[in-house]
Amino acid sequence: MQHPHPPSGARFRLLLLVLFALLAAAPAAAQEAPRFLIEKISVAGNRRPASARIVVSESLLKEGQTYGEDELRTAIHRIKRLPFIIDADFALKKGSERGRYELVVTVEETRPLFADIEVQGDLAERPVIPNLPQASRRFDFSNNAALGVREFLGSEGLVFASIGSSNGLVQVGYTRYDLFGRGSFASFALAYDPENRAFTPSLSAGVPLTVNQSLRATASWLKSSFRSGGVREEFTQRSGQLDWLYNTTDDPLFPTRGGELEANLAYGRFDSVAKFTDTGLATLRFDERTWGFSLSGRHHRPLTARQSLSFSFAASALQFADDDPTPNSLSGTHGYQASVGVEHALDLLLGERAHRWGDLRLETSASYGGSYSGTAGVFGLDDHPAYQLTLGEKLVFRNPWAIVRLGVSYRGKVMR
């Protein structure tokens, strides 16, 4: 009995089809990124066992699971956003058997005593008469510096304290990591302003949604009083904010690639009571509420080993309301702002020199934005559009002891 065979032309076409399928599958198999089974995660370079536990938790990696190289780098980027970490990197070591690996995360921490210094000079053009284009130039200088200390407390806690140079602001606080699960935190801080004799307690908490997304909530409360002559005033300010953050950047202070996107919802209430003790006039009360929404983003892309470019945008809206029926009422006032910008960054130290001395970057930026405000109250002001061009130059330095920012900017403002 003879078995039927396909014609020679059909066999040739079948062979071509098989060869084509094999050739098409070969590049896909070659391009498939390798994955690594992580049986152990260890941390090197840490000063305290607590910091190692916090680092592993912040990475969101788990032992016994497989990860690609991109996922491991994303975990390192998350670790570098911790406030006590300057730099982080990873290496893979052979595990207990073939196909298993130990992930070694090497970190560089800040010193327990640290400084945050910012010196800024601004040359701005301000209108001589509101709503008219004539402007006068004015140079403002600001020096904001803080000296602080951080130390680990327990297995997952961090205490901190700082004092500012400009107004003597004192702040103490405690941050507890992993309170709501891996990668989460809750922080309480108490600030004291000796100039206004005001205490401001605040509470913030954050949880990760994915490796690149997180939610953060912040609430603060301030109460203060002062007496001047025959007037005694007491005021209270309460505020809250909810933030959604998306971050794929490779460094929190010196990014060269990746993007950031942030959306904020904010609410604030300000109560003030003024009593005229000498004149016997009636007590004046002021109750103002504000609602705000803002959206901002920035994208970084490398140009060379030393240079990178970033593009940014920002937009916000604000609404005021109060119960004051007088002509000075702000009820119905609303405002909008929007801006776009570009920044060029040049890293002045690389490699061994950066590791020895610290990171040093020169940032050149330009932005253009506009704002609009309108009042639906007694004033009857329809609108106040304003447009502003800002040019800036900043030198930023970072090492385990300090972060230093030295900048100068020019702000040209035109109103119409």
Side-chain angles (χ1 to χ4, degrees):
M1 180 177 178
Q2 292 185 350
H3 296 282
H5 295 281
S8 59
R11 289 199 301 270
F12 180 72
R13 288 192 297 270
L14 180 62
L15 179 61
L16 287 180
L17 183 62
V18 171
L19 289 177
F20 179 78
L22 292 175
L23 290 174
Q31 294 176 3
E32 184 178 353
R35 298 185 66 81
F36 308 95
L37 176 60
I38 305 300
E39 67 173 7
K40 182 181 179 181
I41 303 174
S42 59
V43 180
N46 57 299
R47 295 187 300 109
R48 298 286 190 275
S51 65
R53 284 188 285 269
I54 296 172
V55 163
V56 173
S57 176
E58 187 67 19
S59 71
L60 298 182
L61 301 176
K62 295 182 179 179
E63 296 178 349
Q65 295 191 7
T66 59
Y67 298 96
E69 188 173 351
D70 289 342
E71 293 173 299
L72 297 179
R73 293 195 181 280
T74 299
I76 295 300
H77 297 164
R78 286 185 54 87
I79 293 171
K80 292 172 71 173
R81 297 178 198 132
L82 288 168
F84 57 89
I85 295 296
I86 290 293
D87 199 7
D89 205 349
F90 75 94
L92 291 171
K93 292 185 177 181
K94 292 182 179 180
S96 59
E97 58 184 59
R98 183 180 179 85
R100 294 177 176 268
Y101 296 89
E102 176 187 357
L103 176 67
V104 180
V105 180
T106 303
V107 298
E108 182 180 9
E109 298 181 1
T110 60
R111 302 302 181 187
L113 187 67
F114 66 95
D116 193 334
I117 302 171
E118 182 173 7
V119 179
Q120 181 71 32
D122 293 306
L123 177 62
E125 293 188 1
R126 293 176 171 82
V128 178
I129 302 175
N131 301 325
L132 293 181
Q134 293 84 1
S136 64
R137 293 186 177 182
R138 176 180 171 182
F139 185 82
D140 293 325
F141 176 80
S142 62
N143 177 14
N144 298 316
L147 182 65
V149 60
R150 295 191 187 104
E151 192 53 72
F152 294 98
L153 181 66
S155 62
E156 296 169 330
L158 186 72
V159 293
F160 57 89
S162 65
I163 181 171
S165 63
S166 60
N167 55 0
L169 183 69
V170 179
Q171 186 180 52
V172 295
Y174 171 75
T175 300
R176 173 67 157 81
Y177 292 92
D178 299 341
L179 187 61
F180 311 108
R182 291 170 55 87
S184 66
F185 77 92
S187 183
F188 173 79
L190 179 63
Y192 174 67
D193 182 357
E195 183 176 346
N196 297 315
R197 299 180 180 179
F199 287 93
T200 306
S202 62
L203 182 65
S204 60
V207 293
L209 301 178
T210 65
V211 292
N212 294 321
Q213 298 182 68
S214 61
L215 279 180
R216 182 180 61 200
T218 305
S220 63
W221 179 80
L222 180 149
K223 186 173 183 179
S224 180
S225 64
F226 68 92
R227 183 188 298 270
S228 177
V231 181
R232 180 181 178 182
E233 184 175 3
E234 298 180 354
F235 62 88
T236 303
Q237 182 174 334
R238 289 157 288 184
S239 61
Q241 183 167 307
L242 180 65
D243 307 322
W244 171 80
L245 304 101
Y246 175 79
N247 196 328
T248 61
T249 59
D250 55 351
D251 191 282
L253 189 62
F254 293 88
T256 59
R257 65 180 71 245
E260 305 162 81
L261 189 61
E262 183 173 340
N264 317 107
L265 283 173
Y267 171 78
R269 185 165 185 173
F270 180 83
D271 301 318
S272 176
V273 178
K275 298 180 180 180
F276 297 84
T277 57
D278 293 344
T279 61
L281 295 178
T283 300
L284 296 181
R285 298 181 180 273
F286 184 73
D287 185 1
E288 177 186 288
R289 297 174 299 278
T290 60
W291 295 267
F293 173 77
S294 62
L295 179 67
S296 61
R298 183 181 293 269
H299 178 70
H300 308 266
R301 57 183 306 173
L303 299 178
T304 65
R306 289 180 175 270
Q307 302 179 69
S308 62
L309 199 64
S310 66
F311 304 90
S312 63
F313 77 92
S316 63
L318 191 66
Q319 178 74 36
F320 292 87
D322 63 55
D323 299 326
D324 185 5
T326 66
N328 292 326
S329 172
L330 293 176
S331 182
T333 302
H334 52 275
Y336 308 95
Q337 290 183 342
S339 65
V340 293
V342 61
E343 179 179 280
H344 174 266
L346 174 63
D347 293 319
L348 303 178
L349 296 177
L350 289 178
E352 183 60 30
R353 296 174 64 188
H355 180 74
R356 180 179 180 183
W357 300 105
D359 299 308
L360 184 63
R361 170 176 282 199
L362 182 65
E363 299 174 348
T364 304
S365 61
S367 64
Y368 183 78
S371 62
Y372 168 88
S373 63
T375 305
V378 180
F379 285 123
L381 301 177
D382 295 330
D383 58 77
H384 305 279
Y387 305 92
Q388 179 173 272
L389 172 67
T390 303
L391 306 175
E393 196 80 29
K394 183 177 291 186
L395 189 66
V396 186
F397 172 77
R398 177 183 64 183
N399 71 2
W401 295 95
I403 295 176
V404 181
R405 304 174 181 88
L406 306 176
V408 62
S409 66
Y410 164 78
R411 304 174 189 271
K413 191 170 184 179
V414 179
M415 298 187 67
R416 63 182 184 184

